Amino acid sequence: MKKILLLLLAALWLVPGVASAHSKLETAVPEKDSTVAVSPQSIVLSYNTKIEDLSNLKLFNAAGEQIATDKAVVDDKSMSAAVQSELPSGIYTVKWTIIGADGHAVEGEYAFTVQAAEPTVAPVATDTPAATSAPTTAPTTEPSATNSPSETAAPDTGAGYEDDSGNNGGNGMTTAVIVIGAIIVIAAIVLLARRRK
């Protein structure tokens, strides 16, 4: 009877020891059931015991689609994998499978939420209509070009030194002076001729 009791006591001590040997997830980044405002660049999981290199993790969105991540890197008690693209707002699930210190495979999962801030670039788009007002000022400068014909009309009026008969005014004055001079010369000759008689 004493041997049986000793065996039972030994079994009771061994069972908790075996159970405690299984690896468990202690911390995670992003944390379990947390909400982050910025898309995480990587997933980092830490366990209570050393894990083997065959351990791995996967990331899924709310639709059950797998999100691309780099190959998981195992370092003693932790495992990490970089997220290849920025995560939009939504709920994501991390599923992991590890090989614990006791050689047993252990699986688990947890969820976190990404709630990215709304972009503030939308109000900038309201500045674009202001640019449309610029072309409206361009047509106002075009009518100024219509003033050029009025300027070219000035030389046409300035060239008119001709009289109604079409003769040049300057030539008419010269002819009149010659005629008057000739009359004076003829009159002087006639007067001199009469005096000599």
Side-chain angles (χ1 to χ4, degrees):
M1 287 294 295
K2 290 183 178 180
K3 291 182 178 180
I4 295 175
L5 290 175
L6 291 174
L7 290 174
L8 290 174
L9 290 173
L12 291 174
W13 281 101
L14 290 175
V15 169
V18 172
S20 62
H22 290 296
S23 299
K24 297 179 181 180
L25 180 65
E26 286 191 333
T27 61
V29 178
E31 296 180 0
K32 179 180 179 181
D33 299 328
S34 64
T35 299
V36 295
V38 180
S39 173
Q41 296 182 352
S42 62
I43 307 297
V44 182
L45 307 178
S46 298
Y47 298 85
N48 63 330
T49 63
K50 182 179 178 180
I51 59 177
E52 301 298 329
D53 293 337
L54 295 177
S55 303
N56 193 20
L57 67 84
K58 294 180 180 180
L59 180 63
F60 298 88
N61 60 16
E65 301 169 337
Q66 184 173 352
I67 306 299
T69 59
D70 292 346
K71 182 179 179 180
V73 177
V74 176
D75 183 14
D76 195 21
K77 297 181 180 181
S78 66
M79 173 174 57
S80 62
V83 181
Q84 295 183 1
S85 60
E86 185 174 354
L87 302 180
S89 297
I91 300 175
Y92 296 88
T93 301
V94 178
K95 295 184 179 182
W96 49 268
T97 302
I98 62 169
I99 305 299
D102 58 356
H104 289 88
V106 181
E107 296 180 351
E109 64 179 56
Y110 78 95
F112 66 91
T113 302
V114 175
Q115 189 171 356
E118 294 296 330
T120 58
V121 294
V124 178
T126 59
D127 294 337
T128 53
T132 58
S133 62
T136 60
T137 59
T140 59
T141 59
E142 293 179 359
S144 62
T146 58
N147 296 332
S148 56
S150 64
E151 294 174 359
T152 57
D156 295 336
T157 59
Y161 287 97
E162 299 180 355
D163 54 14
D164 295 337
S165 61
N167 295 325
N168 191 298
N171 293 335
M173 292 293 293
T174 304
T175 303
V177 171
I178 294 173
V179 172
I180 293 171
I183 293 173
I184 292 172
V185 171
I186 293 171
I189 293 172
V190 171
L191 290 175
L192 289 175
R194 287 181 180 181
R195 289 180 181 180
R196 287 180 182 179
K197 291 180 180 182

